[in-house]
Amino acid sequence: MGKFVIKETKTGFTFSLKASNGEIIATGGEVYNTLASVKNGVESVSKNAPVANLEDQTVEGFKTETNPKFEIYTDKAGEFRFRLKARNGQTIAVSEGYKKLDSCKNGVESVRKNAADAPVELPE
């Protein structure tokens, strides 16, 4: 089972979602000012990820999906990435770069599986 890890930085709080093997599969889309706001971000990912649509923007003429949704896209370096958008269209989680589209899609599925009931680890 995965877990959310909240960390305090010099400018606020961030979170990452780790798979059961300890690999980071997604990080928060921003730096949050307060512990309460980063917890809200984690809760939003937990709620939205399992029901989010999948929009593959790497396909020509792709179908635009409604939020919440995972958007798969190609970055400037030619790697595949995804971002999770909440119902209001705000980006709430992002991925690392993947060399293969299938690996990126596996990342999306891993977030869907792990986010729903993942425990939250708070900073000490």
Side-chain angles (χ1 to χ4, degrees), residues 52-107:
N53 294 306
L54 181 63
E55 181 178 291
D56 186 349
Q57 298 178 351
T58 66
V59 177
E60 201 173 316
F62 66 88
K63 179 180 181 280
T64 303
E65 298 289 343
T66 55
N67 291 326
K69 66 182 172 183
F70 284 97
E71 294 176 340
I72 294 180
Y73 64 99
T74 310
D75 67 14
K76 289 180 183 155
E79 292 190 321
F80 298 98
R81 293 179 179 267
F82 65 80
R83 59 187 155 237
L84 173 59
K85 292 197 166 183
R87 290 191 195 288
N88 64 4
Q90 183 179 0
T91 299
I92 53 176
V94 296
S95 74
E96 63 181 9
Y98 294 91
K99 300 244 181 278
K100 295 181 178 169
L101 179 58
D102 282 348
S103 300
C104 187
K105 288 181 177 177
N106 288 343

Side-chain angles (χ1 to χ4, degrees), residues 2-42:
K3 67 179 175 182
F4 285 100
V5 178
I6 294 176
K7 286 202 162 63
E8 190 166 3
T9 68
K10 288 180 181 165
T11 56
F13 296 89
T14 61
F15 72 84
S16 55
L17 175 59
K18 292 186 174 185
S20 51
N21 64 2
E23 290 284 313
I24 294 176
I25 50 178
T27 55
E30 64 181 280
V31 175
Y32 296 86
N33 293 327
T34 65
L35 189 56
S37 61
V38 76
K39 285 180 178 176
N40 286 341
V42 166

